[in-house]
Amino acid sequence: MNITRRHFLIGLSIAAIPGLSMAQNHGDHGSGHNGVHNSGHANHSNQDMGHDAHSNHTPGMSHGTKVGREGRPQDVKQTIQINMHDQNKFMPNRVEVKAGETVRFFVRNMGQNKHEFVIGSQQELHKHAQMMKQDPNMAHKDPNMISLKPRQRGGVVWHFDKPGTYYFGCLQPGHLDEGMIGTIEVK
Amino acid sequence: MMHTQISRRHLLRSAMAGTAAVGLSPWVNSAWANPKITQLGHAPTLSGTEIDLVVDETLVNMSGKDRMAVTINGSLPAPTLRFREGDTVTIRVTNRLQQDTSIHWHGIILPFNMDGVPGVSFPGIKPGKTFTYEFTLEQSGTYWYHSHSGMQEQQGMYGAMIVEPAMPEPIEFDREHVIMLSDWTDENPHRIVEKLKIKGHYYNRNEPTVFDFFKDVKELGFGGAMQKREMWNQMRMSPTDLADISGYTYQYLTNGTPQKANWTGLFKAGETVRLRYINSAAASFFDVRIPGLKMTVVQADGQNVEPVEVDEFRFGPGETYDVLVTPVKEAYTLFAQSIDRSGFARGTLATQMGMSADVPEMDPVQWLETQDMMGAMNHGAHGGHAGHDMGGDTMDHSAHEMAANTQTDHSAHGAHDAHAGHTMAENPLAKPSQQVRHSKHEYGASVDMRVDTPRTNLDDPGIGLRNNGRRVLTYADLRTLGGPLDPRKPEREIELHLTGNMHRYVWSIDGVEYGKSEPIPFQFGERIRVILHNDTMMTHPMHLHGMWSELESPDGEFLVRKHTISVQPAQRVSFLVTADALGRWVWHCHIMYHMDTGMFREVVVS
């Protein structure tokens, strides 16, 4: 193994300045605020065709919503935990949110079946649930929803701009009909 | 079923020595009149949902010298705890030491106040007191537990914890053995730290000699050999710094027993045997193999993986691998050499007691290679680093630190305007960032080197195992069954550098030792990418408490879920974490001496 000095200089630098003061604050990275390279926003939705470039499903439909819009993780003011159960229910099934705030729904699948958490109006949810019945294997992915396999957890970051009553439901075939729906009161 | 060959006579000899505290090491509690003898090599199994554990000092004799070990229920390793997934367990831990103690359940997901880290999760367990741990097991697999106080882990306070799955699992086997590998020293561990502080290479007996020099002259010519020496001298390092503490002081133990005891696990011909390998060493990486047997790795850190057949694997303190073997001969050697080839742990797998197989020679010591010091030598993407001055780099990297923040507000897309045929821009967080960002604190006395061109490949078995003619496991081989626990892409990315100064024997994260650091904040519910960038020449097994670390490939593909991730020298790896556990947690290197001298951080999820 013959490392030439020049080679060696390229890759490595040796610090030899003793006594630099070690300030009490955080490093320039890893601190969550000062200087973290933080590209918020990881889930790009695709628009009207619901055709997600990252998954290989047949171009199906979007199950997006006109209720509010996708929020940015750095704007989250409130985190709401929602657990999904095999009795086809959400716990809790009623939540309150302030208009103009960005909320993170942190969702866990506590059961042995697949479940989904989808935000929308009652009408939108029922329409999308019908579509899912016709094509149960339709892959769908939009920023207003998360599909979770058993034991998985995930989340949706959403911004509600207008007061009103909105809903979250599970679009797995039959689940909505059995009452797997919850309300979001935006005040 | 599990027996060791420690003769009764040997035990009696140890027992007699216990009548006088004279001659015992200075850290022995002199109040002992008749210290109890430690039971070595066959940890009792405790199961059910109510467990009582007693921490005490008991006598061991590993090498002809009587020493006191810190043990649980008088056994080394501590009792094997067998639980069922879904059970809520109550574990009462009574401290009979004269110092505080604690137990950390390594890799177990539980409420933070049950995690057992003194000063973070709870105050610790005072002498004479009992602390009751209670938690529900929401996972299954092979785990372990150990003290998180002082140097007790080095002194014998560790045991296996096996959680039976609630649902049938894909792994089929006829018989199982826990194979717990560890290191033992007759020295007082606190003295070891003192020695390392005085001279970082204290225990390195592989340093180059005049003979190596003549060999190099033959190979490289006089100029080349001089240059090679010159380089290492300039770095004030040694090319054989693979482990801080070596076989010079250590004995390597298999289930708490030294080589000569030849711990033996039994099997019947034709059986498939599951070996639950746990590295419970304080500071040693082991290269594990069973000459003559292929091992099928089926579990990593308690999580089932797609089976992969190997001849050998390396693991660091804190990591576990479950392997299946199908032995046909009468006896095989369980061989585990330390990474620096200063010694090995040995046991036997046999059809009856008293048998043994050939014990292989240790592999030769290897010098660190270019990739261990500089990482990737591909400078294509890293122009502008030539001309780094070895004599003290005062270059201001601040320009790199806030690399273009590509944050764009995509919120407009959420509103569903029709954008027929619209293709989205590449998600900036789809792949882990390759942009090296050294913290400004890395330019201080605590850091003796920085790597600007890290390697990101995960298919390197590491120094000493490269091209050895055997099939060696790497992280690139591991795929956790069922995929990630969270399907989300990361919402943000943080970068932490593993740093140190070998010479002063200080270790740190981002150049800041624990005592001077602030906690790392996680937001409850977020999905976060953590990049670990190793600016040192040693491999660090990094253990995050309370939450899983989901290792990804350099392209951002999920590979394997672990609780302890070993980062090789000059390597940059990344993993995703879901901050699903509120409270105060810790994150540290599981080499106890690195943790103790500063490579430790608190993480707060709020």
Side-chain angles (χ1 to χ4, degrees):
Chain A
M1 173 190 96
N2 183 0
I3 302 180
T4 65
R5 189 176 147 79
R6 207 189 39 162
H7 233 165
F8 181 72
L9 292 183
I10 293 170
L12 187 76
S13 48
I14 303 284
I17 331 161
L20 258 191
S21 64
M22 303 287 286
Q24 286 276 351
N25 63 359
H26 246 303
D28 303 65
H29 49 239
S31 69
H33 23 83
N34 121 35
V36 169
H37 172 79
N38 195 344
S39 312
H41 208 71
N43 33 13
H44 285 290
S45 68
N46 175 354
Q47 308 321 312
D48 51 332
M49 288 304 290
H51 178 61
D52 187 332
H54 302 287
S55 67
N56 48 6
H57 66 275
T58 46
M61 355 272 182
S62 161
H63 290 163
T65 177
K66 295 196 167 34
V67 171
R69 59 178 159 84
E70 186 176 1
R72 300 190 314 172
Q74 60 268 41
D75 299 335
V76 168
K77 288 279 183 293
Q78 186 191 0
T79 299
I80 296 170
Q81 277 198 80
I82 307 271
N83 288 342
M84 306 192 289
H85 295 271
D86 278 350
Q87 297 76 22
N88 291 336
K89 62 173 194 229
F90 289 107
M91 301 266 288
N93 60 3
R94 187 177 179 284
V95 299
E96 281 190 20
V97 177
K98 282 201 189 86
E101 277 196 357
T102 300
V103 183
R104 183 197 302 278
F105 293 95
F106 182 56
V107 188
R108 289 177 208 249
N109 184 348
M110 310 301 280
Q112 304 298 327
N113 305 322
K114 188 176 170 183
H115 291 292
E116 290 172 336
F117 171 90
V118 187
I119 296 171
S121 66
Q122 211 161 5
Q123 196 189 358
E124 283 169 336
L125 291 176
H126 281 286
K127 191 175 96 188
H128 295 150
Q130 278 306 116
M131 290 185 203
M132 288 290 288
K133 273 187 193 163
Q134 282 150 24
D135 184 3
N137 297 321
M138 178 170 59
H140 56 167
K141 204 165 112 185
D142 286 287
N144 60 314
M145 62 171 296
I146 183 121
S147 293
L148 296 175
K149 292 191 288 194
R151 308 179 76 133
Q152 278 192 322
R153 69 265 347 236
V156 171
V157 175
W158 207 251
H159 180 90
F160 294 94
D161 36 15
K162 288 196 282 294
T165 302
Y166 308 109
Y167 295 85
F168 53 93
C170 178
L171 302 188
Q172 285 295 297
H175 291 198
L176 201 67
D177 302 342
E178 290 182 30
M180 199 159 179
I181 189 163
T183 53
I184 306 166
E185 294 294 340
V186 180
K187 296 199 162 145
Chain B
M1 244 205 32
M2 294 195 200
H3 294 288
T4 48
Q5 300 296 81
I6 295 190
S7 67
R8 195 175 144 73
R9 209 184 43 183
H10 180 88
L11 282 180
L12 286 177
R13 223 183 34 230
S14 309
M16 279 158 53
T19 52
V22 181
L24 296 181
S25 68
W27 39 279
V28 167
N29 166 3
S30 56
W32 280 107
N34 286 303
K36 285 203 302 272
I37 307 293
T38 309
Q39 170 173 283
L40 296 180
H42 30 114
T45 297
L46 303 178
S47 53
T49 54
E50 301 248 343
I51 304 282
D52 282 288
L53 300 177
V54 177
V55 184
D56 207 342
E57 279 192 325
T58 55
L59 196 67
V60 293
N61 188 320
M62 295 289 182
S63 57
K65 297 192 190 100
D66 284 321
R67 287 291 183 265
M68 296 307 272
V70 178
T71 57
I72 296 175
N73 293 13
S75 173
L76 197 168
T80 298
L81 308 180
R82 275 198 106 92
F83 297 131
R84 274 198 77 73
E85 183 184 4
D87 278 357
T88 298
V89 295
T90 305
I91 307 168
R92 287 176 292 266
V93 180
T94 301
N95 183 6
R96 292 216 184 121
L97 304 171
Q98 296 194 319
Q99 306 80 33
D100 287 14
T101 193
S102 58
I103 291 182
H104 166 61
W105 317 96
H106 187 114
I108 301 294
I109 301 299
L110 36 60
F112 90 97
N113 57 349
M114 293 290 143
D115 196 46
V117 181
V120 178
S121 341
F122 76 143
I125 311 171
K126 297 274 174 249
K129 294 279 182 274
T130 299
F131 181 82
T132 304
Y133 289 92
E134 192 174 282
F135 48 89
T136 301
L137 292 153
E138 51 177 73
Q139 65 201 100
S140 63
T142 301
Y143 301 94
W144 67 296
Y145 64 104
H146 59 85
S147 169
H148 227 286
S149 300
M151 297 282 169
Q152 292 161 1
E153 194 190 336
Q154 175 75 87
Q155 293 164 257
M157 197 171 153
Y158 41 80
M161 181 186 208
I162 297 164
V163 187
E164 302 283 358
M167 307 285 224
E169 68 172 348
I171 306 171
E172 290 182 0
F173 54 96
D174 304 306
R175 182 191 293 261
E176 62 173 276
H177 292 293
V178 169
I179 312 290
M180 204 156 199
L181 301 175
S182 62
D183 42 26
W184 171 266
T185 172
D186 280 343
E187 288 186 84
N188 176 346
H190 294 281
R191 273 290 294 144
I192 292 180
V193 176
E194 284 164 27
K195 286 180 184 174
L196 288 166
K197 287 263 185 211
I198 295 162
K199 183 173 184 291
H201 313 300
Y202 186 91
Y203 294 98
N204 183 350
R205 290 296 185 270
N206 291 322
E207 291 201 295
T209 62
V210 68
F211 298 106
D212 294 325
F213 180 70
F214 287 128
K215 197 166 131 252
D216 288 343
V217 169
K218 223 156 91 182
E219 286 171 16
L220 310 170
F222 187 78
M226 281 302 281
Q227 211 173 33
K228 190 164 158 183
R229 297 278 166 306
E230 180 67 6
M231 176 188 99
W232 288 108
N233 285 337
Q234 274 181 321
M235 294 194 297
R236 294 181 309 186
M237 293 193 145
S238 163
T240 54
D241 276 334
L242 298 167
D244 305 311
I245 307 160
S246 68
Y248 173 65
T249 183
Y250 272 158
Q251 289 193 74
Y252 300 107
L253 310 181
T254 302
N255 287 333
T257 63
Q259 281 171 29
K260 62 178 188 299
N262 192 20
W263 181 91
T264 299
L266 296 178
F267 67 89
K268 287 199 182 79
E271 284 182 328
T272 297
V273 186
R274 177 180 190 164
L275 301 174
R276 301 177 185 264
Y277 272 102
I278 299 169
N279 186 335
S280 55
S284 306
F285 276 80
F286 289 106
D287 292 342
V288 175
R289 65 185 201 267
I290 309 172
L293 272 187
K294 291 265 184 222
M295 300 183 283
T296 303
V297 178
V298 291
Q299 208 177 76
D301 287 7
Q303 303 291 289
N304 293 338
V305 295
E306 285 176 27
V308 52
E309 193 178 77
V310 298
D311 297 317
E312 184 168 26
F313 65 82
R314 165 173 293 175
F315 67 161
E319 295 183 280
T320 74
Y321 286 114
D322 288 36
V323 303
L324 299 182
V325 293
T326 312
V328 290
K329 291 191 305 193
E330 288 186 321
Y332 298 85
T333 295
L334 302 168
F335 186 71
Q337 52 184 341
S338 73
I339 188 173
D340 64 347
R341 310 295 180 245
S342 66
F344 59 89
R346 172 226 180 177
T348 298
L349 211 52
T351 51
Q352 50 182 309
M353 295 308 294
M355 303 184 78
S356 64
D358 286 348
V359 178
E361 288 288 303
M362 281 194 290
D363 292 330
V365 175
Q366 279 191 2
W367 281 33
L368 291 165
E369 295 172 34
T370 325
Q371 64 259 50
D372 300 306
M373 297 179 293
M374 290 171 250
M377 291 306 292
N378 161 19
H379 299 290
H382 303 277
H385 285 287
H388 260 189
D389 175 18
M390 301 266 309
D393 175 9
T394 52
M395 225 168 123
D396 177 9
H397 286 262
S398 52
H400 296 291
E401 274 155 17
M402 272 308 292
N405 187 339
T406 45
Q407 194 169 296
T408 36
D409 183 356
H410 292 272
S411 52
H413 296 297
H416 281 268
D417 323 316
H419 273 291
H422 172 81
T423 47
M424 291 302 295
E426 176 77 27
N427 169 7
L429 285 174
K431 292 180 182 181
S433 156
Q434 303 262 340
Q435 172 83 45
V436 175
R437 294 178 290 261
H438 293 297
S439 148
K440 65 174 182 283
H441 300 294
E442 278 200 71
Y443 297 84
S446 300
V447 178
D448 60 12
M449 67 175 277
R450 288 180 299 277
V451 173
D452 294 318
T453 54
R455 51 204 177 107
T456 55
N457 57 310
L458 296 170
D459 58 0
D460 175 7
I463 180 79
L465 295 177
R466 294 171 188 139
N467 309 314
N468 64 3
R470 301 188 287 264
R471 172 72 174 87
V472 186
L473 182 77
T474 66
Y475 281 174
D477 296 321
L478 296 170
R479 295 281 180 289
T480 300
L481 295 180
L485 275 176
D486 186 331
R488 288 177 297 171
K489 290 272 178 248
E491 296 166 309
R492 68 185 177 108
E493 187 177 84
I494 61 171
E495 186 174 324
L496 295 171
H497 286 225
L498 311 178
T499 48
N501 183 328
M502 269 306 266
H503 218 60
R504 297 159 166 249
Y505 210 78
V506 287
W507 299 94
S508 51
I509 292 175
D510 285 349
V512 182
E513 292 112 90
Y514 173 58
K516 299 170 179 164
S517 71
E518 285 181 8
I520 299 167
F522 282 5
Q523 192 186 77
F524 178 72
E526 75 174 335
R527 182 75 164 159
I528 186 168
R529 169 181 286 132
V530 178
I531 295 175
L532 292 180
H533 175 112
N534 188 348
D535 279 323
T536 77
M537 287 198 207
M538 299 192 84
T539 307
H540 300 286
M542 298 302 294
H543 173 46
L544 172 63
H545 287 219
M547 290 158 274
W548 288 106
S549 303
E550 299 199 310
L551 186 74
E552 60 182 0
S553 75
D555 292 331
E557 275 174 274
F558 169 79
L559 293 177
V560 58
R561 184 159 54 248
K562 293 184 100 273
H563 47 59
T564 308
I565 291 178
S566 287
V567 193
Q568 295 181 20
Q571 193 182 39
R572 182 179 171 98
V573 305
S574 64
F575 54 89
L576 304 189
V577 176
T578 297
D580 57 0
L582 285 166
R584 296 173 66 194
W585 303 99
V586 298
W587 198 340
H588 60 89
C589 176
H590 221 280
I591 292 175
M592 208 176 65
Y593 298 88
H594 293 184
M595 171 175 119
D596 204 61
T597 55
M599 200 178 267
F600 185 98
R601 275 290 166 95
E602 187 177 327
V603 174
V604 175
V605 181
S606 59

Coordinates of all heavy atoms in Angstrom, one line a residue, chain B residues 407-456:
Chain B
Q407 N -34.9 24.3 -0.4 CA -36.3 24.2 0.1 C -37.2 25.1 -0.8 O -36.9 26.3 -1.0 CB -36.4 24.8 1.5 CG -37.7 24.4 2.1 CD -37.5 24.8 3.5 OE1 -36.8 24.2 4.3 NE2 -38.3 25.7 4.0
T408 N -38.1 24.5 -1.4 CA -39.0 25.2 -2.2 C -40.4 25.0 -1.6 O -40.7 24.0 -1.0 CB -39.0 24.8 -3.6 OG1 -38.8 23.4 -3.6 CG2 -37.9 25.4 -4.4
D409 N -41.2 25.9 -1.7 CA -42.5 25.8 -1.2 C -43.4 25.1 -2.2 O -43.8 25.7 -3.2 CB -43.0 27.2 -0.8 CG -44.4 27.1 -0.1 OD1 -44.9 26.0 0.0 OD2 -44.9 28.1 0.3
H410 N -43.8 23.9 -1.9 CA -44.6 23.2 -2.9 C -46.1 23.3 -2.5 O -46.9 22.6 -3.0 CB -44.2 21.7 -2.9 CG -42.9 21.5 -3.5 ND1 -42.7 21.4 -4.9 CD2 -41.6 21.5 -2.9 CE1 -41.4 21.3 -5.1 NE2 -40.7 21.3 -3.9
S411 N -46.3 24.1 -1.5 CA -47.7 24.0 -1.0 C -48.7 24.3 -2.1 O -49.8 23.8 -2.0 CB -47.8 25.0 0.2 OG -47.4 26.3 -0.2
A412 N -48.3 25.1 -3.1 CA -49.3 25.4 -4.1 C -49.8 24.2 -4.8 O -50.9 24.1 -5.3 CB -48.6 26.4 -5.1
H413 N -48.9 23.1 -4.8 CA -49.3 21.9 -5.5 C -50.4 21.2 -4.8 O -51.1 20.4 -5.4 CB -48.2 20.9 -5.7 CG -47.1 21.5 -6.5 ND1 -47.3 21.8 -7.8 CD2 -45.8 21.8 -6.2 CE1 -46.1 22.2 -8.3 NE2 -45.2 22.3 -7.4
G414 N -50.5 21.5 -3.5 CA -51.5 20.7 -2.7 C -52.9 21.2 -3.1 O -53.9 20.5 -2.8
A415 N -53.0 22.3 -3.8 CA -54.3 22.8 -4.1 C -55.0 22.2 -5.3 O -56.1 22.6 -5.7 CB -54.2 24.3 -4.2
H416 N -54.3 21.2 -5.9 CA -54.9 20.5 -7.0 C -55.4 21.3 -8.2 O -56.4 21.0 -8.7 CB -56.1 19.7 -6.4 CG -55.6 18.5 -5.8 ND1 -55.5 17.3 -6.4 CD2 -55.2 18.3 -4.5 CE1 -55.0 16.4 -5.5 NE2 -54.8 17.0 -4.4
D417 N -54.5 22.2 -8.6 CA -54.9 22.8 -9.9 C -54.6 21.8 -10.9 O -53.7 21.0 -10.7 CB -54.0 24.0 -10.1 CG -53.8 24.8 -8.9 OD1 -54.8 25.0 -8.1 OD2 -52.6 25.2 -8.6
A418 N -55.3 21.8 -11.9 CA -55.0 20.8 -13.0 C -53.7 21.1 -13.6 O -53.5 22.2 -14.2 CB -56.2 20.8 -14.0
H419 N -52.8 20.2 -13.6 CA -51.5 20.4 -14.2 C -51.4 19.1 -15.1 O -50.5 18.3 -14.8 CB -50.4 20.3 -13.2 CG -50.1 21.6 -12.6 ND1 -49.5 22.6 -13.3 CD2 -50.2 22.0 -11.3 CE1 -49.3 23.6 -12.4 NE2 -49.7 23.3 -11.3
A420 N -52.1 19.0 -16.1 CA -52.0 17.7 -16.9 C -50.6 17.5 -17.3 O -49.9 18.4 -17.7 CB -53.0 17.8 -18.1
G421 N -50.2 16.2 -17.1 CA -48.9 15.9 -17.6 C -47.7 16.5 -16.8 O -46.6 16.4 -17.2
H422 N -48.1 17.1 -15.7 CA -47.0 17.7 -14.9 C -46.1 16.7 -14.2 O -46.6 15.8 -13.5 CB -47.8 18.6 -13.8 CG -46.8 19.2 -12.8 ND1 -46.1 20.3 -13.1 CD2 -46.5 18.8 -11.6 CE1 -45.4 20.6 -12.0 NE2 -45.6 19.7 -11.1
T423 N -44.9 16.8 -14.4 CA -44.0 15.9 -13.6 C -43.3 16.7 -12.5 O -42.9 17.8 -12.7 CB -42.9 15.3 -14.5 OG1 -42.3 16.4 -15.3 CG2 -43.4 14.3 -15.5
M424 N -43.2 16.0 -11.4 CA -42.7 16.7 -10.2 C -41.2 16.8 -10.3 O -40.5 15.9 -10.8 CB -43.0 15.9 -9.0 CG -44.5 16.0 -8.7 SD -45.1 17.6 -8.4 CE -44.2 18.1 -7.0
A425 N -40.6 17.8 -9.8 CA -39.2 17.9 -9.7 C -38.7 16.9 -8.7 O -39.4 16.4 -7.9 CB -38.8 19.3 -9.1
E426 N -37.5 16.5 -8.9 CA -36.8 15.5 -8.0 C -37.0 16.0 -6.5 O -36.7 17.1 -6.2 CB -35.4 15.4 -8.4 CG -34.5 14.5 -7.5 CD -34.7 13.0 -7.8 OE1 -35.1 12.7 -9.0 OE2 -34.5 12.2 -6.9
N427 N -37.4 15.1 -5.7 CA -37.5 15.4 -4.3 C -36.1 15.6 -3.7 O -35.3 14.7 -3.8 CB -38.2 14.2 -3.6 CG -38.1 14.3 -2.1 OD1 -37.7 15.3 -1.5 ND2 -38.6 13.3 -1.4
P428 N -35.8 16.8 -3.1 CA -34.4 17.0 -2.7 C -34.0 16.1 -1.6 O -32.8 16.0 -1.3 CB -34.5 18.5 -2.2 CG -36.0 18.7 -1.9 CD -36.7 17.9 -2.9
L429 N -34.9 15.4 -0.9 CA -34.5 14.5 0.2 C -34.7 13.1 -0.2 O -34.6 12.2 0.6 CB -35.4 14.8 1.4 CG -35.1 16.0 2.2 CD1 -36.1 16.3 3.3 CD2 -33.6 16.0 2.8
A430 N -34.8 12.8 -1.5 CA -35.0 11.4 -1.9 C -33.7 10.6 -1.6 O -33.8 9.4 -1.2 CB -35.2 11.3 -3.4
K431 N -32.6 11.2 -1.7 CA -31.3 10.5 -1.4 C -30.6 11.3 -0.3 O -30.7 12.5 -0.2 CB -30.4 10.5 -2.6 CG -31.0 9.6 -3.8 CD -30.0 9.7 -4.9 CE -30.6 8.8 -6.1 NZ -29.7 8.8 -7.2
P432 N -29.8 10.6 0.5 CA -29.0 11.3 1.5 C -28.0 12.2 0.9 O -27.4 11.9 -0.1 CB -28.3 10.2 2.3 CG -28.4 8.9 1.4 CD -29.6 9.1 0.5
S433 N -27.9 13.4 1.5 CA -27.0 14.4 1.0 C -25.5 13.9 1.0 O -25.1 13.2 1.9 CB -27.1 15.6 1.8 OG -25.9 16.4 1.8
Q434 N -24.8 14.2 -0.1 CA -23.4 13.8 -0.1 C -22.5 15.0 0.3 O -21.3 14.9 0.3 CB -23.0 13.4 -1.6 CG -23.9 12.3 -2.1 CD -23.2 11.0 -2.0 OE1 -22.0 10.9 -1.9 NE2 -23.9 9.9 -2.0
Q435 N -23.1 16.1 0.5 CA -22.4 17.4 0.8 C -21.8 17.3 2.2 O -22.6 17.2 3.2 CB -23.3 18.6 0.7 CG -22.8 19.9 1.1 CD -22.0 20.5 0.0 OE1 -22.4 20.6 -1.1 NE2 -20.8 21.1 0.4
V436 N -20.5 17.3 2.3 CA -19.9 17.2 3.7 C -20.0 18.5 4.4 O -19.5 19.5 3.8 CB -18.4 16.7 3.6 CG1 -17.8 16.7 4.9 CG2 -18.4 15.3 2.9
R437 N -20.6 18.5 5.6 CA -20.6 19.8 6.3 C -20.0 19.6 7.7 O -20.6 19.0 8.6 CB -22.1 20.2 6.5 CG -22.8 20.6 5.1 CD -24.2 20.9 5.3 NE -25.0 19.7 5.7 CZ -25.7 19.0 4.8 NH1 -25.8 19.4 3.6 NH2 -26.4 18.0 5.2
H438 N -18.8 20.0 7.8 CA -18.1 19.9 9.1 C -18.6 21.0 10.0 O -18.8 22.2 9.6 CB -16.6 20.1 9.0 CG -16.0 18.9 8.3 ND1 -16.0 17.6 8.7 CD2 -15.3 18.9 7.1 CE1 -15.4 16.8 7.9 NE2 -14.9 17.6 6.9
S439 N -18.9 20.7 11.3 CA -19.3 21.7 12.2 C -18.1 22.6 12.5 O -17.0 22.2 12.5 CB -19.8 21.0 13.5 OG -19.6 21.8 14.6
K440 N -18.4 23.8 12.9 CA -17.2 24.7 13.2 C -16.5 24.2 14.5 O -15.3 24.5 14.6 CB -17.7 26.2 13.4 CG -18.6 26.4 14.6 CD -18.9 27.9 14.7 CE -19.7 28.3 15.9 NZ -21.2 28.0 15.7
H441 N -17.1 23.4 15.3 CA -16.5 22.9 16.5 C -15.5 21.8 16.1 O -14.7 21.3 17.0 CB -17.5 22.3 17.5 CG -18.4 23.4 17.9 ND1 -18.0 24.4 18.7 CD2 -19.8 23.5 17.7 CE1 -19.1 25.2 18.9 NE2 -20.1 24.7 18.3
E442 N -15.5 21.3 14.9 CA -14.6 20.3 14.5 C -13.2 20.9 14.2 O -12.3 20.1 13.9 CB -15.1 19.6 13.2 CG -16.1 18.5 13.5 CD -16.2 17.6 12.3 OE1 -15.2 16.8 12.1 OE2 -17.2 17.6 11.6
Y443 N -13.0 22.2 14.4 CA -11.7 22.8 14.1 C -11.1 23.1 15.4 O -10.5 24.2 15.6 CB -11.9 24.0 13.2 CG -12.4 23.6 11.9 CD1 -13.8 23.4 11.6 CD2 -11.6 23.2 10.8 CE1 -14.3 22.9 10.4 CE2 -12.1 22.8 9.6 CZ -13.4 22.6 9.4 OH -13.9 22.1 8.2
G444 N -11.3 22.3 16.4 CA -10.7 22.5 17.7 C -9.8 21.4 18.2 O -9.5 20.5 17.4
A445 N -9.4 21.5 19.4 CA -8.4 20.6 19.9 C -9.0 19.2 20.1 O -8.2 18.2 20.3 CB -7.9 21.1 21.3
S446 N -10.3 19.0 20.1 CA -10.8 17.7 20.4 C -10.8 16.8 19.1 O -11.2 15.7 19.2 CB -12.3 17.8 20.8 OG -12.4 18.5 22.0
V447 N -10.4 17.4 18.0 CA -10.5 16.7 16.8 C -9.2 16.6 16.1 O -8.5 17.6 15.9 CB -11.6 17.4 15.8 CG1 -11.6 16.7 14.5 CG2 -12.9 17.4 16.5
D448 N -8.7 15.4 15.8 CA -7.4 15.3 15.1 C -7.5 15.0 13.7 O -6.4 14.9 13.0 CB -6.5 14.4 15.9 CG -7.0 13.0 16.0 OD1 -8.0 12.7 15.2 OD2 -6.4 12.2 16.7
M449 N -8.6 14.7 13.1 CA -8.7 14.6 11.7 C -10.2 14.8 11.2 O -11.1 14.7 12.0 CB -8.2 13.2 11.3 CG -9.1 12.0 11.7 SD -8.5 10.4 11.0 CE -9.3 10.5 9.4
R450 N -10.3 15.1 10.0 CA -11.6 15.3 9.3 C -11.5 14.6 8.0 O -10.5 14.7 7.3 CB -12.0 16.7 9.2 CG -12.3 17.4 10.5 CD -12.7 18.9 10.2 NE -11.5 19.6 9.6 CZ -10.5 20.1 10.3 NH1 -10.5 20.0 11.6 NH2 -9.6 20.7 9.7
V451 N -12.6 14.0 7.6 CA -12.6 13.3 6.3 C -13.5 14.2 5.4 O -14.7 14.5 5.7 CB -13.2 11.9 6.4 CG1 -13.4 11.3 5.1 CG2 -12.3 11.1 7.3
D452 N -13.0 14.6 4.2 CA -13.7 15.4 3.3 C -14.3 14.6 2.1 O -15.2 15.1 1.4 CB -12.8 16.5 2.7 CG -12.4 17.5 3.8 OD1 -13.3 17.8 4.7 OD2 -11.3 17.8 3.9
T453 N -13.8 13.4 1.9 CA -14.3 12.6 0.8 C -14.7 11.2 1.4 O -14.0 10.2 1.2 CB -13.2 12.4 -0.2 OG1 -12.0 11.8 0.4 CG2 -12.8 13.7 -0.9
P454 N -15.8 11.2 2.1 CA -16.2 9.9 2.8 C -16.6 8.9 1.8 O -17.0 9.2 0.7 CB -17.4 10.3 3.7 CG -17.9 11.5 2.9 CD -16.8 12.2 2.4
R455 N -16.5 7.6 2.2 CA -17.1 6.6 1.3 C -18.5 6.3 1.8 O -18.8 6.4 3.0 CB -16.2 5.3 1.4 CG -15.9 4.9 2.8 CD -14.6 4.0 2.8 NE -14.3 3.7 4.2 CZ -14.5 2.4 4.6 NH1 -14.9 1.5 3.9 NH2 -14.2 2.2 5.9
T456 N -19.4 6.0 0.9 CA -20.8 5.7 1.3 C -21.2 4.3 1.0 O -22.3 3.9 1.4 CB -21.7 6.7 0.6 OG1 -21.5 6.5 -0.8 CG2 -21.5 8.1 0.9

